[in-house]
Amino acid sequence: MSPNLTMSPDLGKEDWDPDVITRMIFIGPGAHVSEQEIVSEFHMLGLPLTIKNTCYGSMISGKSEDVYKAIEEIRKLDPSHIFTKERGFAPGDPRRCRGHRFGPREGFHQMEKEYRILGFVSEALDNPKEVELEEKKPIEVDEFKKIMNECLENKE
Amino acid sequence: MVKIAIYPPNSLILADLLERKGHTPLVLQKQIRQKIKDPEIDSPPMNITEEDPIKGLKYAAIEVPSGVRGRMAIIGPLIDEAEAAILVDGAPYGFGCIGCARTNELSIFLLRNKGIPVLELTYPTNQDETYVMVNEINEFVDSLEETAGEE
């Protein structure tokens, strides 16, 4: 079997529990906390959670009540730079985990794209202000004619 | 608390901004979780079963490719549940998780036709555009709260 194909995983009791959820915690650019600080804080909460340290922040898995409580606490560390989102698969699930397959996992590319504007979003949350955008308009016909004629004259 | 459909349905930024305001974003990951925790699926890596294209018939005609119908079996219930929607347009290639342009078009069409409040945004590329996006989302969510309060 090619390693890129997913295998039939040997799932534990927790993996089948519909009340167990997984959340990803992202630390945006310019955050005042590190991944390690976030993980330590999760451990200090003393909740029954599976906590994983990752390059973008961390991932937590556990009963939904505990997970939401932990997220509420962790957001207080840096409200405008800590972002969270749901994840369907549990941490280390062989169907998605990078350790069992080639290349980045599905979903990573979306994360990569959103991470590029995450800094702007943090800034907008930190210092909300009204901004007027200049609407792009097509060039005037006379102006276009002028440029066209100039180009043609220069060519000759 | 309003249930808001987002597009792309796995967006971190949209889901997070809505959760900050205390609303429920209808994200695809929850549907996938339900799917993979379903003990009736014999082979767990196979997220799409032969039942799904049949369920998808509720949202797309029989002539529509089975790939679209299979995807709609997962996204469709989110559209049914939605009380409002936020759609992001003009995103770079690869933004979103559906992997099928026709499913994207169909889902957006169904959300627009549902008669729920819809906010359509353009994917921001710089600081000012992001300010506008965040402000528009916040204003939209506040207007939903006011409408819910009046009712």
Side-chain angles (χ1 to χ4, degrees), chain A residues 142 144-155:
Chain A
D142 294 338
F144 183 71
K145 262 188 192 170
K146 203 178 126 196
I147 296 170
M148 189 182 72
N149 289 333
E150 267 174 27
C151 287
L152 287 171
E153 276 166 25
N154 288 343
K155 207 179 173 187

Side-chain angles (χ1 to χ4, degrees), chain A residues 20 23 79 84 86 110 114, chain B residues 12 16 19-20 33 37 96:
Chain A
V20 170
R23 300 276 307 200
T84 78
E86 291 273 345
Q110 168 88 8
E114 291 198 272
Chain B
L12 158 72
D16 190 273
E19 275 181 0
R20 276 168 198 267
R33 187 185 302 129
K37 291 198 173 183

